[in-house]
Amino acid sequence: MESISRVSSLLETARDLTLEAAQSAGSARNFNSRIAVRDAPFVQVKKLLDSRSDRDILEGLRKVISMMYRSKACLPYFSSVVKNVASSNIEIKKLVYIYLLHYAESEPDLALLSINTIQKSLTDQNPQVRAMALRVMSGIKVPVISQIVSLAIKRGCGDMSPYVRKAAALAIPKCYRLDPNALPQLVDYLSILLGDKQYYVVGSAVMAFLEICPNRIDLIHKHYRALVRKLVDMDEWGQLATIRLLMIYARKCFPRKTTKSNQNNYKNESFDGHEVPTEDSTDEEKTQVLDPDLELFLKACKPLLQSRNSAVIVAVTRCFYYLGNPDHLDSAVGPLVALLRSPQGIQHIALYNIVVVCLERPQAFLIYADRFFLCARDPVHIGRLKMEVLTLIFPLCDSYRKGLILSDFEQFTKNSDKELVRDSVRAIGKCAQNDSKTSIRCLNSLLSQVSSEDGNLVAESLTVIRHLIQQDPSSHASTVIRLTKHLDTMTNPEARASIIWLVGEFAGLDGNNIIAPDVLRILAKGFTDESEPAKLQIILLAAKVYLYYLNSAQSTVKAEVNNSQPSEEAARTMTQGENTMQDDSKQHDLGPEHQIAILWRYIVLLARYDPSYDLRDRIRLYKALLANPASTQLASLLLLAPKPIPHVPSPSEGRKGYLIGSSSLVIGEDAGPNGLSGYEHLPDWVRDGEQPDSKLRDEVGSRAEYGDKKHVPAGEMLDSALREKSNAFPDVVVSSNKGKTLDDWLAEGKDEDEDESEATSEEEVEDGKGSEEGEETDDGSESESGSEEEDDRLIN
């Protein structure tokens, strides 16, 4: 009978498996053929849910869950589904819990009916069932059950299974959202879970801590070293939360101490393996002195640089950037650069963090320069960030590597993408600004682009050329003349405006070779056909040329007066000369007028009737400034004032204020001065003397050890204990044991054991001999008595 029942149960199991396989195959076939799934009738599903067979109930629940995830109305099945929460089948429990979590907020009264059954599951023998019941109870968003959830969390904190304790840790923030007044109780539970011996329980507890009470640093003191030890074993999300917590703890509990030391020369390896020395420096620099507990944390973070999760690598880099010294940061550069082999989304995020680190320590990226060369398949946003990194490390590279970087930039100036072309030209200009030795090559490369047919390329090149010329105007007079020759063929408005501005800006540098009046004469012929940006620069050029003419004429008059009159009458004569000059300007019809003055009046008339309001207002301003030829000081201050040398900062310079690894860093200035919602800055370093006592971090029943643990043999420990005892009691002298080691003690014990064993063996031998003699004497006495009896019989 037993074999028949076993066979029948096996057949039933095989039947269920066959039906499930057929259903799975049918659903896969429907999915592949993209046939719309028909919803089962309400009566049929309700019949399956009300069945007594677990297989039918499971089938009905699957249909309900399928409709629920397709946004179908499944609320009418609520009562039929919830009554199956008491089922002993764990698969049924899972599906009921999923449904309950989804609709408990819509039907709180019906959900409360299942609380008693879920509470009973908290005492189930299966830890998976207990954890699932705790998760569901905390996920039901009904504020009435907050106390019940709190008691369930308390039970879960003391559970023997770490899986249940982890569920209890994850339930703490949910209970806090239900009832914020339960915070004191939840903090007590959290303090217990932070001291758990299982690392995956501690990771969840840290996440709960950061959500409900991130400012309660006093709870972390006694668990700090345990958290550091368990960091390497946690899952990725637990590691991220723990690193974030310990960074805040380090800023609030470890003061920043520095000491002066000589600066070491930093060396890097080039492509061919040779060392590239940087600038020597014998100046003293401040070196950070790390607290032993902080150093313990940084040392525990180093193995995480080999993590498969890119977020963990970025988090460790953030930790080294804000807490460690340059050596720690250099160790994180390699794993951070290795993220460039990841998909484009991860590359984009990693490059933003790389740029911020490179702004702080560019020499660490020299040996990885080839990783930042642009590829043809790189999108624009990734190519732009790679160019930025190359421009930051460009001044520190050797000549060979500088040539490679410039060749890479020049290659992408011919790209079809306008944004990439613009960024390439700006990168060349940035390299020229950062390194004066390569500025000639960069300038020649940009000048070769001026004759290009691409107007966007020409405009960007001229903008960068203008910035380079402003750095050293006297040595680029021939460059300005070379650029003016392209005005006949150039059609881009911005490019023409840049060249005209250069001609006007450097018109007075070389008094013997002034080309500005001739350029103005040529441009005046086609003034009406020019674009508005070019017209604005033409009237500015006309005002500067006319002002130079007035200043030169005024200086000539002053020189003639000084040469013809005595020195004591110089002031009176100078005033008369100015009045005479002013009268001559008013009565210009009495003599021939200079060509520059005629050209100026012609430009004024052209701009006066131009349709552009800005142009007409600008020419009125210039005409008012130059109305009095004898008084040009104000006009000189406005038009001929020296311009500051333009210095274009790195595009990511404004992102340095945001934390590495944050989304605000990626978004940049658009995130606002305070970052996105939820963004928090790191706290400032605690002042020296205000930090908590380091004894608070001592673990109960143990002693903190740093560095490598020294393994001391037991013999040496006993010898040291014996010496301490002898030092404590100097009067007690044991002459026979003085200077003995553990080996001597063991040898003596072994000899004593041998002596005892020999003595016992001798005693046993003597006892054996005595017993043998006694037996012999007994046998002799018996034999003697026997012989006497025989003799008596014979006598009788």
Side-chain angles (χ1 to χ4, degrees):
M1 294 297 292
E2 185 177 354
S3 60
I4 294 173
S5 62
R6 185 179 302 172
V7 169
S8 62
S9 63
L10 290 175
L11 291 175
E12 183 69 21
T13 304
R15 176 175 172 272
D16 294 340
L17 292 175
T18 305
L19 290 174
E20 291 180 2
Q23 291 173 358
S24 300
S27 61
R29 187 164 53 252
N30 291 336
F31 178 78
N32 293 331
S33 60
R34 296 185 178 181
I35 299 175
V37 180
R38 291 184 178 180
D39 295 335
F42 176 79
V43 179
Q44 180 182 354
V45 175
K46 190 171 180 60
K47 184 178 179 181
L48 291 173
L49 294 174
D50 295 338
S51 176
R52 295 184 178 181
S53 173
D54 289 348
R55 182 167 54 83
D56 294 340
I57 296 173
L58 198 59
E59 179 65 22
L61 287 172
R62 287 172 179 168
K63 291 181 181 295
V64 172
I65 299 299
S66 176
M67 290 188 291
M68 185 179 71
Y69 281 113
R70 284 186 283 117
S71 301
K72 303 294 182 180
C74 299
L75 199 58
Y77 303 105
F78 194 90
S79 58
S80 300
V81 172
V82 171
K83 70 178 183 181
N84 292 309
V85 72
S87 176
S88 59
N89 191 329
I90 190 171
E91 297 295 331
I92 294 176
K93 277 182 177 293
K94 288 180 180 179
L95 295 178
V96 172
Y97 287 159
I98 292 172
Y99 180 88
L100 193 59
L101 287 174
H102 193 270
Y103 285 108
E105 195 172 2
S106 301
E107 292 289 336
D109 296 334
L110 293 176
L112 290 175
L113 298 177
S114 60
I115 292 298
N116 292 332
T117 307
I118 297 175
Q119 275 187 291
K120 293 179 182 179
S121 299
L122 293 173
T123 58
D124 196 275
Q125 295 182 354
N126 190 345
Q128 188 176 5
V129 175
R130 298 198 300 270
M132 195 162 44
L134 182 56
R135 191 179 301 118
V136 172
M137 186 179 294
S138 61
I140 297 176
K141 300 176 183 179
V142 181
V144 181
I145 63 171
S146 60
Q147 292 298 325
I148 300 176
V149 175
S150 178
L151 293 175
I153 293 173
K154 182 179 180 181
R155 179 191 293 271
C157 291
D159 199 280
M160 296 295 293
S161 173
Y163 188 73
V164 180
R165 297 199 298 272
K166 180 180 180 180
L170 295 174
I172 289 176
K174 300 177 184 178
C175 182
Y176 176 72
R177 294 189 205 107
L178 288 178
D179 185 13
N181 296 325
L183 181 61
Q185 301 174 5
L186 298 178
V187 168
D188 294 339
Y189 305 154
L190 194 58
S191 179
I192 296 172
L193 294 173
L194 286 172
D196 200 281
K197 296 182 178 180
Q198 297 294 332
Y199 54 86
Y200 44 87
V201 178
V202 176
S204 302
V206 169
M207 288 188 278
F209 176 86
L210 289 174
E211 187 167 349
I212 68 170
C213 55
N215 296 323
R216 291 291 304 275
I217 299 298
D218 56 304
L219 298 177
I220 308 299
H221 291 317
K222 59 182 179 181
H223 304 302
Y224 173 81
R225 292 166 187 166
L227 289 174
V228 171
R229 287 195 302 268
K230 296 169 187 173
L231 179 62
V232 70
D233 296 321
M234 295 180 185
D235 60 285
E236 288 89 348
W237 306 113
Q239 288 171 350
L240 291 174
T242 306
I243 290 174
R244 179 186 168 194
L245 171 63
L246 295 182
M247 281 185 66
I248 298 173
Y249 182 87
R251 284 294 190 103
K252 292 184 176 181
C253 299
F254 303 134
R256 188 178 182 87
K257 300 179 181 179
T258 57
T259 182
K260 291 184 179 180
S261 62
N262 293 329
Q263 185 176 1
N264 297 326
N265 294 333
Y266 193 92
K267 294 185 177 181
N268 295 289
E269 288 188 4
S270 60
F271 289 163
D272 52 1
H274 295 88
E275 291 185 348
V276 181
T278 57
E279 298 180 357
D280 296 336
S281 177
T282 58
D283 297 335
E284 291 185 350
E285 66 171 3
K286 292 184 178 180
T287 305
Q288 183 178 0
V289 179
L290 300 177
D291 188 273
D293 280 323
L294 177 58
E295 191 173 1
L296 181 69
F297 170 49
L298 296 175
K299 189 179 295 185
C301 289
K302 279 190 176 181
L304 302 184
L305 292 172
Q306 303 176 4
S307 175
R308 61 183 179 181
N309 194 320
S310 57
V312 176
I313 296 175
V314 174
V316 174
T317 305
R318 179 177 66 236
C319 178
F320 289 167
Y321 183 86
Y322 293 107
L323 301 180
N325 51 35
D327 294 335
H328 289 99
L329 189 59
D330 293 343
S331 64
V333 169
L336 193 61
V337 174
L339 296 179
L340 298 180
R341 296 194 293 263
S342 305
Q344 289 185 357
I346 298 178
Q347 282 187 47
H348 190 203
I349 303 300
L351 278 169
Y352 276 114
N353 296 278
I354 287 173
V355 169
V356 174
V357 177
C358 192
L359 287 170
E360 179 70 21
R361 193 162 178 80
Q363 58 267 38
F365 291 87
L366 287 178
I367 57 177
Y368 304 105
D370 56 337
R371 305 288 182 88
F372 299 100
F373 288 149
L374 276 70
C375 301
R377 63 179 181 275
D378 285 340
V380 177
H381 57 275
I382 291 180
R384 183 185 299 115
L385 292 171
K386 285 186 175 181
M387 288 181 184
E388 188 174 356
V389 175
L390 290 175
T391 55
L392 289 173
I393 66 176
F394 183 82
L396 304 175
C397 296
D398 54 358
S399 58
Y400 172 72
R401 198 173 299 179
K402 288 178 181 177
L404 289 178
I405 293 174
L406 290 177
S407 300
D408 191 38
F409 291 161
E410 291 170 0
Q411 177 67 28
F412 279 90
T413 56
K414 304 173 184 177
N415 199 282
S416 59
D417 194 304
K418 293 182 179 180
E419 293 185 5
L420 193 59
V421 170
R422 181 190 62 194
D423 294 333
S424 301
V425 173
R426 290 179 179 177
I428 294 175
K430 185 70 175 175
C431 292
Q433 288 182 358
N434 294 338
D435 187 16
S436 59
K437 297 179 181 179
T438 58
S439 59
I440 297 176
R441 176 181 174 178
C442 295
L443 184 60
N444 292 332
S445 175
L446 294 172
L447 288 173
S448 64
Q449 309 293 343
V450 175
S451 58
S452 174
E453 296 179 357
D454 188 358
N456 181 48
L457 174 59
V458 174
E460 290 295 334
S461 300
L462 283 171
T463 303
V464 176
I465 290 172
R466 177 167 59 86
H467 293 169
L468 295 178
I469 292 176
Q470 283 184 263
Q471 292 182 353
D472 190 9
S474 58
S475 62
H476 291 291
S478 59
T479 305
V480 177
I481 297 174
R482 179 179 174 182
L483 290 173
T484 56
K485 296 178 181 179
H486 293 278
L487 285 174
D488 296 335
T489 58
M490 193 171 296
T491 58
N492 187 276
E494 298 295 335
R496 292 180 65 85
S498 296
I499 295 177
I500 296 170
W501 184 88
L502 284 173
V503 173
E505 185 67 21
F506 305 108
L509 291 179
D510 190 359
N512 299 325
N513 189 14
I514 299 176
I515 62 171
D518 291 334
V519 173
L520 180 61
R521 177 179 55 82
I522 296 171
L523 292 172
K525 296 179 182 179
F527 182 83
T528 56
D529 298 330
E530 295 284 352
S531 62
E532 185 173 349
K535 287 180 180 179
L536 289 171
Q537 296 302 325
I538 289 173
I539 63 173
L540 177 60
L541 174 61
K544 289 182 178 180
V545 170
Y546 185 57
L547 181 58
Y548 278 124
Y549 161 70
L550 294 178
N551 290 336
S552 62
Q554 190 174 0
S555 61
T556 303
V557 171
K558 290 180 180 180
E560 291 177 354
V561 171
N562 291 333
N563 293 331
S564 61
Q565 298 294 335
S567 58
E568 62 267 7
E569 298 179 357
R572 181 172 56 84
T573 307
M574 187 180 296
T575 306
Q576 293 177 357
E578 291 178 356
N579 296 332
T580 303
M581 181 180 171
Q582 186 174 0
D583 295 338
D584 292 341
S585 63
K586 292 181 180 179
Q587 299 176 357
H588 55 80
D589 54 339
L590 299 178
E593 189 177 6
H594 198 276
Q595 294 179 354
I596 293 179
I598 297 172
L599 190 58
W600 162 248
R601 288 194 298 108
Y602 178 70
I603 296 294
V604 170
L605 290 174
L606 288 175
R608 181 178 179 182
Y609 298 102
D610 194 88
S612 174
Y613 290 98
D614 294 337
L615 200 65
R616 296 200 298 268
D617 292 341
R618 189 73 59 86
I619 199 63
R620 288 194 194 98
L621 173 64
Y622 295 156
K623 186 178 178 181
L625 285 173
L626 301 173
N628 186 5
S631 178
T632 59
Q633 291 84 0
L634 182 59
S636 298
L637 288 175
L638 291 177
L639 299 178
L640 303 182
K643 308 299 186 298
I645 298 175
H647 177 73
V648 181
S650 180
S652 298
E653 193 73 31
R655 302 176 189 267
K656 292 180 65 176
Y658 298 108
L659 281 178
I660 292 178
S662 63
S663 56
S664 298
L665 174 68
V666 177
I667 296 175
E669 296 179 355
D670 294 337
N674 297 323
L676 297 175
S677 177
Y679 174 80
E680 294 180 0
H681 294 279
L682 272 179
D684 296 331
W685 290 93
V686 65
R687 295 181 180 179
D688 192 9
E690 298 180 0
Q691 72 272 19
D693 190 0
S694 61
K695 294 181 180 180
L696 295 174
R697 291 186 288 274
D698 292 341
E699 297 175 338
V700 179
S702 63
R703 189 170 54 188
E705 296 181 357
Y706 303 102
D708 299 332
K709 294 183 179 180
K710 296 182 179 179
H711 299 282
V712 182
E716 294 183 8
M717 294 176 66
L718 290 174
D719 293 341
S720 62
L722 183 63
R723 284 193 295 269
E724 291 176 0
K725 184 176 181 181
S726 61
N727 293 332
F729 302 97
D731 297 336
V732 181
V733 179
V734 184
S735 59
S736 60
N737 297 334
K738 186 177 181 180
K740 290 185 179 181
T741 62
L742 177 65
D743 297 332
D744 298 336
W745 283 97
L746 294 175
E748 282 189 5
K750 188 176 182 181
D751 294 339
E752 291 177 358
D753 293 339
E754 290 179 356
D755 295 340
E756 290 179 358
S757 61
E758 290 177 0
T760 52
S761 60
E762 289 178 359
E763 291 177 357
E764 289 177 355
V765 171
E766 290 178 357
D767 293 339
K769 289 181 180 180
S771 60
E772 289 178 358
E773 291 177 357
E775 290 177 356
E776 289 178 357
T777 52
D778 293 337
D779 294 339
S781 60
E782 288 178 358
S783 59
E784 290 177 358
S785 59
S787 60
E788 289 178 358
E789 290 178 356
E790 289 179 356
D791 293 339
D792 293 336
R793 280 193 225 99
L794 291 175
I795 292 171
N796 295 328

